[in-house]
Amino acid sequence: MRVMELVSFGGADTAFAARELPRPVPGPGQVLVQVMATSVNPLDLQTRRGDYRDQVALPAVIGNDVSGVVVETGPGVDDFQPGDDVWYL
């Protein structure tokens, strides 16, 4: 899974690094979503700047507004199935 990982707090030119991470496996009650679109909102900017450094352990994949397609469901998920279009925040 290719991500832009927050590796330090500060300016956008030094805060992120492109990384390849293992594909996550959804746990009970979770879904795995292939992200098709996302945005940068004020919360993302504040997180990058370090406003929430006590709540965010680095390195971290941040982002709060996402739309995509469910690719896998974990145990106990009944309301979603692979192929469903979803969005979340």
Side-chain angles (χ1 to χ4, degrees), residues 55-78:
Q55 292 88 26
V56 178
L58 297 179
V61 177
I62 65 171
N64 294 286
D65 301 323
V66 175
S67 66
V69 178
V70 173
V71 293
E72 189 178 345
T73 60
V77 174
D78 299 320

Side-chain angles (χ1 to χ4, degrees), residues 5-57:
E5 193 169 50
L6 183 66
V7 295
S8 66
F9 298 112
D13 55 336
T14 61
F16 292 98
R19 303 259 196 244
E20 195 68 37
L21 297 178
R23 178 181 168 168
V25 175
Q30 297 179 333
V31 298
L32 179 62
V33 174
Q34 179 182 2
V35 175
M36 305 304 275
T38 189
S39 67
V40 176
N41 68 30
L43 178 59
D44 300 315
L45 298 175
Q46 294 162 352
T47 301
R48 188 208 71 215
R49 187 171 57 202
D51 293 7
Y52 307 106
R53 66 181 68 229
D54 293 337
Q55 292 88 26
V56 178

